[in-house]
C-alpha cells in the first residue's frame, strides 16, 4: 500500500483542499452532489474484498487506492464491476457530474489471512475529555470505527491524559470519561473488553482515577503501576509521572521483565506508559525518565507504548528499535508534528504544529509476530484555528474515519539470545528510509490565483515511498532580489485524503511582478528531491 500522491497540477480547487464539511445550508439544492458510497465498508477482513461504488443518477465515480484525492483524471469506476482489494489500502472516491464534484470519501481496508491472533488491543492516549455534551457524538463515531476494525477487542488501553487537569481541580471529569466509555462499550456489545488505564500528567491524582473508574480498569497497588494479562499476553502499566524517582517501580519492572522473558524469551511483553522514553520515538520529543530507557535496554522483548507528545502516527519515526521497541500511540484529541514548519491556512502561511486529527493503534499479537495498524478516527482537512480560535472539537460525520495513516508495522522477536533478537530488529536507525521524494509530471510548479484572487505558487505534491514531510520553498522577487517566501511548508500528510497540491500564497504585489521559485520536497528522514523551479509573474 502506498501513501504517496498522484500529481495532477490541473486539479480543481474543490479537490486541492478537500473537507468533509457539509454543504452550506443556503446553497441551492442543484449545487449539492452527494458523495459516492462504498458497497462494502472499510474495516478488517480475512480475505480479498470485491469493492463496488454507488453514486446518484448521472454521476460517475473516480477513485484512488493510495490515499490521495481523486481528480477527473483518476481511475473511472465502471458500474457493475468490482475493484479487488487484496492488501491494506486506503480507498478514496469522488462523484463527478458535469462541472460539479462531491466531497471525497475515504475508507481504510486491512486485509488479513485466516490466522487468528492471540490478542487484539486498541492502544490510544491523550483523550482529554472534559465535557460530556461535546464528546458524546464524537466518541460514538470513534467507537464505531473501533468496531469496524476490531468488533470485540480483547482490550482497550487508554494510555494517560484521559482528562485535561492542570492543577485546577478537574479530577471529577474522570467520571465523564468513564460514562462515555461505558455507554459505548455497552452500545457496541464490547462487554468482554478489558479497559486498562495509565496515569498521565493531566489526570489530576491517582486517587481521582481510582475513584471514578471501575477498579478493574486501574488495578494498581498504590503507586500507579500494575501488571495484567490480555488473553495470556503480559501487559505492564507504568506510572511515568514518577518512574525516574520511584525505586520501587524500577525494581518491580526489571524483576517482572526478567521473570517473564526467562520463561518465554521470544514472546513480547507489552508495556504502556504515558510519557515517551528518551532517545526513542521521534527523537524522544517531550520525553522524560532516562532511567526507563536504561532499564528497558536489557529486554528486547519489551514493546513500550507511549503518548503525551501527541506526535502523529503518519510519520514512521513513531516506531523505534534499538535495545527494545518503542511505539508512539498518537492522540485521540489532536496530533502534533515536529516543530519549525509552516502550513497553508485560510489566512496564509502560518506556524503550525497541530492538527485536529484523532489516531489510535490497532495491535494484533500472533504467536510469531506483533502487527500494529495505524488508524485515523478523524483526519478530515481542518485547521486547528477557526476565526483565530483554537479548537480540536470537530464533530462527525468524518469522511476519513477508519482510514490508515501508514503501512502496518510488524515486530518479530527472532534469535536465541537478547543480542540476536536486537540484531534482527527492523525499525532501527541503520534501516531507516534512504529513498528521496521525486516530483513527477512535466509541470510540478505553476502560478495560480488563490481563493482570494491573489497570486499563489501551486506545488503538485511529490511522490515518496513513505510520505513527503515538507517542502523547502524559496520565492524571490527578481526586480529587488528580496525573498517573497522563504519557508519549510508541511505537506499536509496528516489529512485523509491527501490534497493533490499546495497553494503557497505570495505577498501582495503589483501585477506583473517577476518571481523565481525554487522548491525541494523532503521526507521525514531528510532525504531531499531534486530542486524544481519556475519563473512567473504576479497576476
Amino acid at each position: 500500500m502506498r501513501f504517496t500522491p498522484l500529481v495532477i497540477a490541473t486539479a480543481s480547487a474543490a479537490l486541492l483542499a478537500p473537507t468533509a464539511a457539509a454543504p452550506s445550508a443556503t446553497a441551492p439544492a442543484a449545487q449539492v452532489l452527494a458523495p459516492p458510497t462504498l458497497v462494502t465498508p472499510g474495516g478488517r477482513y480475512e480475505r480479498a474484498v470485491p469493492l463496488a461504488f454507488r453514486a446518484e443518477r448521472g454521476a460517475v465515480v473516480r477513485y484512488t487506492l493510495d490515499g490521495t484525492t481523486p481528480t477527473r483524471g483518476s481511475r473511472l469506476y465502471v458500474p457493475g464491476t468490482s475493484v479487488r482489494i487484496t492488501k491494506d489500502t486506503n480507498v478514496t472516491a469522488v462523484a463527478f457530474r458535469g462541472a460539479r464534484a462531491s466531497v471525497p470519501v475515504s475508507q481504510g481496508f486491512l486485509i488479513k489471512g485466516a490466522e487468528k491472533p492471540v490478542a487484539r488491543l486498541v492502544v490510544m492516549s491523550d483523550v482529554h475529555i472534559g465535557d460530556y455534551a461535546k464528546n458524546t457524538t464524537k466518541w460514538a463515531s470513534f467507537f464505531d470505527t473501533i468496531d469496524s476494525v476490531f468488533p470485540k477487542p480483547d482490550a482497550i488501553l487508554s494510555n494517560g491524559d484521559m482528562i485535561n487537569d492542570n492543577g485546577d481541580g478537574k479530577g471529577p471529569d474522570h467520571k465523564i470519561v468513564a460514562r462515555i466509555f461505558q455507554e459505548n462499550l455497552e452500545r457496541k456489545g464490547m462487554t468482554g473488553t478489558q479497559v486498562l488505564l495509565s496515569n498521565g500528567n493531566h489526570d489530576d491524582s491517582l486517587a481521582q482515577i481510582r475513584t471514578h473508574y471501575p477498579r478493574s480498569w486501574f488495578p494498581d497497588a498504590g503507586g500507579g503501576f500494575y501488571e495484567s494479562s490480555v488473553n495470556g499476553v503480559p501487559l505492564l502499566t507504568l506510572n511515568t509521572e514518577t518512574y525516574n524517582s520511584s525505586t520501587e517501580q524500577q525494581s518491580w519492572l526489571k524483576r517482572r521483565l526478567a521473570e517473564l522473558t526467562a520463561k518465554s524469551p521470544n514472546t513480547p511483553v507489552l508495556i504502556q506508559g504515558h510519557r515517551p522514553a528518551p532517545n526513542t520515538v521521534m527523537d524522544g520529543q517531550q520525553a522524560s525518565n532516562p532511567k526507563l530507557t536504561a532499564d528497558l535496554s536489557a529486554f528486547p522483548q519489551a514493546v513500550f507504548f507511549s503518548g503525551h507528545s501527541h506526535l502523529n502516527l503518519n510519520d514512521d519515526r513513531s516506531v523505534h528499535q534499538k535495545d527494545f521497541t518503542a511505539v508512539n500511540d498518537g492522540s485521540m484529541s489532536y496530533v502534533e508534528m515536529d516543530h519549525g514548519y509552516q502550513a497553508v491556512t485560510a489566512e496564509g502561511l502560518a506556524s503550525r504544529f497541530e492538527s485536529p486529527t484523532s489516531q489510535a493503534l490497532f495491535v494484533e499479537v500472533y504467536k510469531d509476530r506483533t502487527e500494529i495498524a495505524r488508524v485515523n478516527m478523524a483526519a478530515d482537512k481542518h485547521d486547528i484555528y477557526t476565526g483565530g480560535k483554537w479548537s480540536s472539537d470537530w464533530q462527525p460525520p468524518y469522511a476519513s474515519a477508519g482510514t490508515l495513516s501508514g503501512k502496518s508495522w510488524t515486530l518479530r522477536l527472532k534469535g536465541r539470545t537478547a543480542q540476536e533478537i536486537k540484531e534482527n530488529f527492523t525499525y532501527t536507525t541503520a534501516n531507516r528510509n534512504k529513498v528521496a521524494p521525486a516530483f513527477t509530471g512535466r509541470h510540478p510548479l505553476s502560478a495560480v490565483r488563490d481563493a482570494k484572487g491573489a497570486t499563489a505558487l501551486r506545488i503538485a505534491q511529490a511522490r515518496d515511498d513513505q510520505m513527503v514531510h515538507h517542502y523547502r520553498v524559496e520565492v524571490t522577487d527578481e526586480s529587488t532580489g528580496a525573498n517573497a517566501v522563504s519557508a519549510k511548508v508541511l505537506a499536509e500528510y496528516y489529512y485523509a485524503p491527501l490534497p493533490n497540491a499546495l497553494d503557497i500564497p505570495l505577498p501582495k504585489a503589483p501585477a506583473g511582478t517577476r518571481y523565481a521559485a525554487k522548491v525541494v520536497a523532503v521526507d521525514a528522514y531528510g532525504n531531499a528531491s531534486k530542486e524544481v523551479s519556475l519563473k512567473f509573474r504576479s497576476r
Side-chain angles (χ1 to χ4, degrees):
M1 175 176 53
R2 301 191 65 176
F3 292 82
T4 53
L6 298 175
V7 179
I8 308 293
T10 57
S12 69
L15 295 182
L16 291 175
T19 175
S24 168
T26 60
Q31 299 301 313
V32 178
L33 185 61
T37 59
L38 282 68
V39 175
T40 303
R44 181 191 185 279
Y45 293 88
E46 296 181 353
R47 63 189 185 283
V49 175
L51 188 62
F53 303 93
R54 290 177 181 159
E56 66 179 56
R57 184 181 296 274
V60 299
V61 175
R62 294 188 180 272
Y63 66 95
T64 63
L65 302 177
D66 60 359
T68 60
T69 305
T71 69
R72 297 179 188 277
S74 298
R75 300 181 192 184
L76 174 67
Y77 172 68
V78 179
T81 65
S82 62
V83 180
R84 188 173 173 82
I85 306 300
T86 60
K87 59 183 180 180
D88 295 358
T89 306
N90 271 346
V91 176
T92 306
V94 171
F96 293 92
R97 185 177 181 181
R100 292 181 291 148
S102 73
V103 296
V105 173
S106 296
Q107 295 192 27
F109 290 81
L110 289 168
I111 309 299
K112 304 288 186 178
E115 180 185 4
K116 303 298 182 184
V118 176
R120 293 177 181 169
L121 306 89
V122 180
V123 184
M124 63 177 70
S125 70
D126 299 276
V127 166
H128 288 297
I129 289 176
D131 184 288
Y132 179 79
K134 285 184 178 179
N135 284 280
T136 49
T137 306
K138 182 177 183 177
W139 275 86
S141 174
F142 291 172
F143 268 85
D144 287 345
T145 298
I146 291 173
D147 181 65
S148 74
V149 183
F150 290 171
K152 289 181 172 56
D154 298 303
I156 294 176
L157 312 187
S158 187
N159 198 6
D161 279 7
M162 280 77 72
I163 65 171
N164 195 37
D165 181 85
N166 291 284
D168 48 0
K170 292 183 179 178
D173 285 353
H174 279 295
K175 63 185 177 184
I176 300 174
V177 183
R179 178 184 175 186
I180 288 173
F181 274 46
Q182 288 169 321
E183 289 175 348
N184 282 288
L185 289 166
E186 182 176 354
R187 180 177 66 89
K188 303 306 295 188
M190 299 177 183
T191 54
T193 297
Q194 292 178 264
V195 178
L196 299 165
L197 312 176
S198 77
N199 178 42
N201 56 298
H202 288 293
D203 282 324
D204 197 340
S205 67
L206 297 179
Q208 288 289 339
I209 297 175
R210 297 187 198 107
T211 297
H212 297 297
Y213 297 102
R215 180 61 178 160
S216 61
W217 293 16
F218 191 68
D220 78 315
F225 57 93
Y226 59 90
E227 180 174 351
S228 50
S229 173
V230 180
N231 275 12
V233 177
L235 172 69
L236 306 178
T237 295
L238 303 181
N239 182 0
T240 55
E241 298 310 295
T242 63
Y243 189 86
N244 227 43
S245 60
S246 173
T247 56
E248 178 189 7
Q249 187 175 182
Q250 295 163 24
S251 297
W252 168 80
L253 176 64
K254 289 184 286 187
R255 175 175 56 81
R256 289 304 295 139
L257 282 172
E259 293 167 350
L260 290 166
T261 57
K263 181 179 179 181
S264 186
N266 295 101
T267 298
V269 179
L270 307 184
I271 304 169
Q272 68 166 337
H274 182 61
R275 294 178 185 259
N279 302 311
T280 58
V281 288
M282 298 278 271
D283 299 321
Q285 183 168 319
Q286 297 190 45
S288 57
N289 300 307
K291 288 185 180 179
L292 177 56
T293 301
D295 290 346
L296 292 177
S297 294
F299 303 100
Q301 299 88 350
V303 181
F304 177 59
F305 296 99
S306 64
H308 182 57
S309 56
H310 292 239
L311 289 168
N312 66 87
L313 299 178
N314 310 71
D315 197 316
D316 274 83
R317 291 176 295 170
S318 282
V319 62
H320 176 277
Q321 290 182 310
K322 183 182 177 184
D323 297 314
F324 61 95
T325 301
V327 186
N328 167 38
D329 56 37
S331 165
M332 291 295 284
S333 52
Y334 64 92
V335 301
E336 295 189 14
M337 286 62 72
D338 34 358
H339 298 195
Y341 301 91
Q342 292 188 296
V344 179
T345 74
E347 288 74 38
L349 284 180
S351 294
R352 288 284 189 274
F353 59 89
E354 300 164 312
S355 170
T357 299
S358 302
Q359 300 177 323
L361 299 175
F362 286 69
V363 181
E364 297 184 75
V365 181
Y366 293 86
K367 291 180 179 180
D368 65 341
R369 68 196 184 281
T370 300
E371 296 183 359
I372 303 174
R374 301 175 266 173
V375 178
N376 295 316
M377 301 293 175
D380 297 3
K381 183 179 171 70
H382 289 297
D383 191 4
I384 200 78
Y385 286 90
T386 301
K389 183 179 179 180
W390 191 98
S391 174
S392 62
D393 289 328
W394 299 104
Q395 296 295 310
Y398 305 119
S400 56
T403 53
L404 310 179
S405 53
K407 295 179 181 179
S408 293
W409 297 315
T410 300
L411 312 178
R412 297 183 186 272
L413 299 174
K414 298 188 296 183
R416 293 174 295 177
T417 66
Q419 185 58 38
E420 285 181 357
I421 293 173
K422 293 177 184 181
E423 290 171 354
N424 287 315
F425 276 163
T426 300
Y427 304 102
T428 64
T429 300
N431 290 339
R432 287 307 194 190
N433 185 278
K434 297 180 176 62
V435 178
F439 288 98
T440 60
R442 297 179 60 185
H443 304 292
L445 304 181
S446 58
V448 299
R449 290 189 184 276
D450 63 18
K452 297 179 179 179
T455 301
L457 174 68
R458 176 166 294 174
I459 303 173
Q461 296 239 39
R463 290 179 178 267
D464 189 63
D465 62 327
Q466 290 183 350
M467 68 175 201
V468 177
H469 182 274
H470 68 276
Y471 295 93
R472 296 200 299 258
V473 182
E474 299 287 340
V475 182
T476 303
D477 183 330
E478 290 200 304
S479 63
T480 64
N483 280 335
V485 177
S486 180
K488 294 187 293 184
V489 182
L490 289 166
E492 298 191 345
Y493 58 85
Y494 35 85
Y495 295 136
L498 181 72
N500 290 317
L502 300 178
D503 286 354
I504 310 299
L506 301 181
K508 188 175 181 180
T513 300
R514 293 180 292 111
Y515 292 108
K518 297 179 180 180
V519 177
V520 174
V522 187
D523 70 12
Y525 299 104
N527 301 307
S529 73
K530 293 182 179 179
E531 181 181 274
V532 294
S533 60
L534 175 72
K535 291 193 175 184
F536 62 98
R537 295 176 182 268
S538 62
R539 301 185 180 188

